[in-house]
């Protein structure tokens, strides 16, 4: 049970799933539904400061390598095209809504990248991400709970 909770939290930190995968994984593996929600939510929130640290400190050194630079520019262009206009227009609320949508390509990773690229105020961006993560996690948690009851 503890191992399943740890794996759920790792999914929640992962850019390949975030809490959108961590919560259902933990719930379907029998972890307490409230514990898995809180643990995955907190793990997913942790991504924001880690990503900003990476983008502000580590990124500049990695940009020296051509392969990394190409992929970083691809991700930056994609983030700007997909969300920049809406986030710039609506600011805090645009970022919160973008992070809140539980679909691939949205979430705290994309929100962190947008925060960095658009040079948003960190404290407001953090709050927007936390609120967005909470509602996204809540949507996934309720959907998983309802689908588990259906079977």
């Amino acid at each position: 049970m503890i191992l399943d909770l740890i794996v759920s939290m790792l999914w929640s930190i992962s850019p390949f799933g975030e809490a959108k995968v961590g919560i259902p994984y933990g719930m379907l593996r029998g972890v307490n539904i409230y514990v898995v929600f809180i643990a995955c939510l907190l793990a997913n929130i942790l991504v924001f400061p880690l990503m900003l640290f990476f983008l502000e400190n580590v990124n500049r050194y990695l940009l020296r390598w051509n392969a990394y630079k190409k992929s970083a520019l691809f991700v930056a262009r994609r983030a700007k095209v997909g969300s920049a206009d809406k986030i710039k227009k609506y600011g805090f609320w645009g970022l919160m809504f973008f992070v809140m949508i539980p679909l691939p390509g949205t979430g705290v990773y994309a929100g962190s990248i947008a925060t960095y690229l658009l040079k948003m105020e960190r404290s407001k961006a953090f709050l927007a991400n936390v609120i967005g993560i909470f509602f996204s996690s809540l949507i996934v948690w309720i959907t998983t709970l309802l689908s588990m009851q259906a079977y």
Side-chain angles (χ1 to χ4, degrees):
M1 191 86 91
I2 295 294
L3 182 60
D4 291 326
L5 180 61
I6 292 169
V7 171
S8 298
M9 292 174 71
L10 290 173
W11 271 118
S12 297
I13 293 173
S14 165
F16 303 109
E18 298 189 27
K20 300 169 216 161
V21 173
I23 290 172
Y25 175 86
M27 290 173 72
L28 294 171
R29 299 291 294 179
V31 179
N32 179 288
I33 61 173
Y34 303 108
V35 171
V36 79
F37 177 80
I38 298 291
C40 290
L41 174 67
L42 293 175
N44 207 193
I45 289 170
L46 182 62
V47 169
F48 184 83
L50 291 174
M51 271 298 289
L52 284 184
F53 175 81
F54 172 82
L55 290 168
E56 292 172 348
N57 298 295
V58 180
N59 188 45
R60 75 178 75 160
Y61 296 107
L62 294 177
L63 286 172
R64 296 175 186 166
W65 286 280
N66 220 12
Y68 176 80
K69 188 174 185 174
K70 284 182 181 180
S71 61
L73 288 172
F74 172 78
V75 170
R77 279 190 208 105
R78 192 163 172 229
K80 280 188 173 183
V81 169
S83 61
D85 290 340
K86 293 172 190 76
I87 292 173
K88 276 185 180 178
K89 182 176 180 181
Y90 298 107
F92 175 90
W93 298 104
L95 180 61
M96 183 195 75
F97 187 73
F98 180 73
V99 172
M100 182 179 78
I101 301 168
L103 293 172
T106 64
V108 70
Y109 278 94
S112 300
I113 292 169
T115 297
Y116 176 76
L117 293 175
L118 300 174
K119 298 179 182 1
M120 299 179 75
E121 184 183 326
R122 299 295 189 254
S123 58
K124 286 183 181 179
F126 178 71
L127 184 59
N129 272 272
V130 168
I131 294 169
I133 294 164
F134 173 78
F135 283 110
S136 176
S137 297
L138 189 63
I139 291 166
V140 169
W141 184 73
I142 290 170
T143 303
T144 305
L145 198 57
L146 292 174
S147 66
M148 287 173 61
Q149 291 177 349
Y151 291 101

